Amino acid sequence: MRAVMFLTIFFLLSLLIAQIDAYLYSSNLINQYKTLLAMDPGSNKWMIYVFLLFGFLYSVGKSVKEKLQKIKNIGSK
């Protein structure tokens, strides 16, 4: 559930930023969303994606660990 919420929040926030950019630059929302997520050479956006990936993997790992703990507690009773 954490992973789904992580992706949902990321999608909604990036969509909000793209909407604001589309309004400010009088452009199309889809073009601004592509521009926002594009990896430009020399732009250090890869750092953001690496931290997003770590956050996503952490949330998946935490969810799996919690699920295994719950199964272990049910099995011991």
Side-chain angles (χ1 to χ4, degrees):
M1 191 59 154
R2 284 185 182 106
V4 173
M5 290 305 297
F6 181 86
L7 291 175
T8 303
I9 290 171
F10 171 71
F11 175 73
L12 291 176
L13 286 177
S14 61
L15 191 64
L16 175 67
I17 293 169
Q19 179 67 35
I20 292 170
D21 284 349
Y23 176 74
L24 289 176
Y25 299 121
S26 300
S27 180
N28 189 359
L29 176 67
I30 296 171
N31 290 339
Q32 289 300 324
Y33 197 73
K34 287 179 188 176
T35 303
L36 180 67
L37 297 180
M39 292 280 288
D40 298 328
S43 72
N44 293 342
K45 280 189 181 179
W46 64 271
M47 288 185 216
I48 295 169
Y49 291 123
V50 166
F51 284 113
L52 280 172
L53 179 66
F54 283 148
F56 180 71
L57 292 177
Y58 178 78
S59 66
V60 168
K62 199 72 163 164
S63 295
V64 168
K65 184 178 177 182
E66 191 174 279
K67 188 68 128 175
L68 290 175
Q69 187 70 19
K70 188 183 287 187
I71 291 171
K72 184 178 178 183
N73 287 341
I74 292 173
S76 64
K77 289 183 179 182

